[in-house]
Amino acid sequence: MKLFRTGLNTGLLALMLAWPAAFAQDGVQVGQMSPLRKIVPAGTGALEQQAAAQYVQTLNQAKQQGALAADNDPQLLRLRAIAKRIIPFALPWNARAKDWKWEVNLLGSKQVNAYCMPGGKIAFYTGILTTLRMTDDEIAMVMGHEIAHALREHGAERAGTATIANIFVRGAEIFAAAKGYDPNMAGQIAGGAAKVTMLKFSRDDETEADIVGLDIAARAGYDPRAGIVLWQKMGMVNKNAPPQWLSTHPSGGSRIEEIRRHLPEVMPLYAKAKSAQLSALPPYQPNVKGISPVTYP
């Protein structure tokens, strides 16, 4: 891991400073980060420290179980190579990111999952690679998405949202008791309303991460159209997913629609990274049956 971090951090700051003005004028636009992330009393830095400690604990547990990929594991080398290309283009999204101690590790598990903790701690599960038969472009879409969560400080935002929700529920209980109503019943009603609100915040975060992830991966030379195929594959393995309005994640169909809507913003970035004319790019070719090639426009 030390060799990976050393090689990755070399020249990142110089690359970041080379084109910040151009970065603001092309690609996707998602606005400012949520002010809710500032509500957490301990601050973002404390969350990053907690995440780092939790990450180390996860790696130690995986190692004890023989589920932590060795540094020479081919799949892990593949993940780290993709990260090395993507991360430089992630830095302009968050001034703190240049100081993060980025790590990428692979955990042996059937889970179809991956994440990036605050502070740049990335983990993929073997299940997502094998179940979805992921290409490098599709891995880049997932990695860009997860990195975007960290860059946009969604963890701190969710913590802030939870703090407000708890205050709202407690206030409803106190008000109900003052008016002679059952405070427990009032708390349950308020809690249900707060939960639905938090689900919506989570879905918004997922959409934002999709969009920012597309931008980052496209700049690194990965085909944004792979995101469409990725969610088509996800649909094949998640046929019993809950309704969108009861989920912390948008439906696969909604995500595909959102990706298509932003292709005009990110496909030129991809073409530039590939030193190709946009009109000359070939269709993105899926590697499974039942999914058609994705063209643009």
Side-chain angles (χ1 to χ4, degrees):
M1 288 189 292
K2 183 179 293 186
L3 289 175
F4 170 74
R5 290 197 298 269
T6 301
L8 184 61
N9 288 330
T10 301
L12 287 188
L13 180 58
L15 210 167
M16 176 184 175
L17 296 176
W19 44 275
F23 180 84
Q25 298 173 12
D26 62 4
V28 303
Q29 304 295 322
V30 294
Q32 299 296 319
M33 288 189 282
S34 171
L36 290 170
R37 75 189 198 284
K38 297 182 179 181
I39 295 176
V40 182
T44 303
L47 284 178
E48 291 172 4
Q49 293 176 6
Q50 293 171 10
Q54 184 178 344
Y55 189 75
V56 169
Q57 183 179 6
T58 299
L59 297 185
N60 288 337
Q61 290 176 347
K63 187 174 183 179
Q64 292 174 1
Q65 298 168 0
L68 180 64
D71 285 339
N72 63 352
D73 181 277
Q75 289 282 52
L76 178 56
L77 292 174
R78 182 186 179 204
L79 291 173
R80 288 180 174 175
I82 294 170
K84 191 172 183 178
R85 283 176 56 179
I86 287 178
I87 290 172
F89 298 96
L91 302 184
W93 284 94
N94 189 318
R96 300 173 60 85
K98 69 182 187 300
D99 298 320
W100 289 353
K101 306 301 181 183
W102 293 88
E103 293 186 44
V104 181
N105 283 284
L106 177 63
L107 308 177
S109 170
K110 293 182 179 180
Q111 291 187 56
V112 180
N113 200 13
Y115 59 80
C116 178
M117 290 181 167
K121 306 303 184 184
I122 302 169
F124 270 68
Y125 292 90
T126 53
I128 194 171
L129 301 178
T130 57
T131 302
L132 300 182
R133 295 180 57 187
M134 299 182 77
T135 66
D136 284 2
D137 291 284
E138 291 160 15
I139 290 174
M141 295 304 113
V142 172
M143 191 176 291
H145 169 95
E146 298 302 336
I147 287 174
H149 276 309
L151 294 172
R152 301 294 288 177
E153 298 182 9
H154 288 159
E157 178 188 342
R158 285 194 293 272
T161 304
T163 299
I164 291 177
N166 289 334
I167 293 172
F168 173 65
V169 171
R170 181 57 182 157
E173 292 174 342
I174 294 173
F175 179 80
K179 293 295 184 179
Y181 299 112
D182 183 356
N184 292 328
M185 180 64 69
Q188 290 175 8
I189 295 172
K195 182 178 180 181
V196 171
T197 301
M198 290 176 67
L199 286 173
K200 182 62 170 65
F201 274 117
S202 295
R203 287 195 296 273
D204 289 345
D205 287 348
E206 291 295 328
T207 298
E208 184 177 85
D210 280 345
I211 297 168
V212 173
L214 281 177
D215 184 291
I216 294 169
R219 292 178 190 274
Y222 292 102
D223 195 331
R225 295 169 295 182
I228 295 172
V229 173
L230 170 68
W231 286 106
Q232 288 174 321
K233 288 182 177 181
M234 283 285 196
M236 293 179 175
V237 300
N238 290 325
K239 294 180 179 179
N240 296 321
Q244 177 175 339
W245 67 278
L246 282 179
S247 174
T248 58
H249 291 62
S251 68
S254 295
R255 299 181 97 143
I256 289 172
E257 182 180 345
E258 193 71 22
I259 290 171
R260 289 190 184 278
R261 191 165 72 85
H262 287 278
L263 285 182
E265 297 167 336
V266 295
M267 286 301 291
L269 303 178
Y270 171 60
K272 182 178 180 180
K274 302 296 285 186
S275 299
Q277 293 293 322
L278 185 59
S279 59
L281 291 172
Y284 180 75
Q285 298 291 340
N287 62 353
V288 297
K289 294 181 179 179
I291 300 179
S292 301
V294 183
T295 59
Y296 179 82

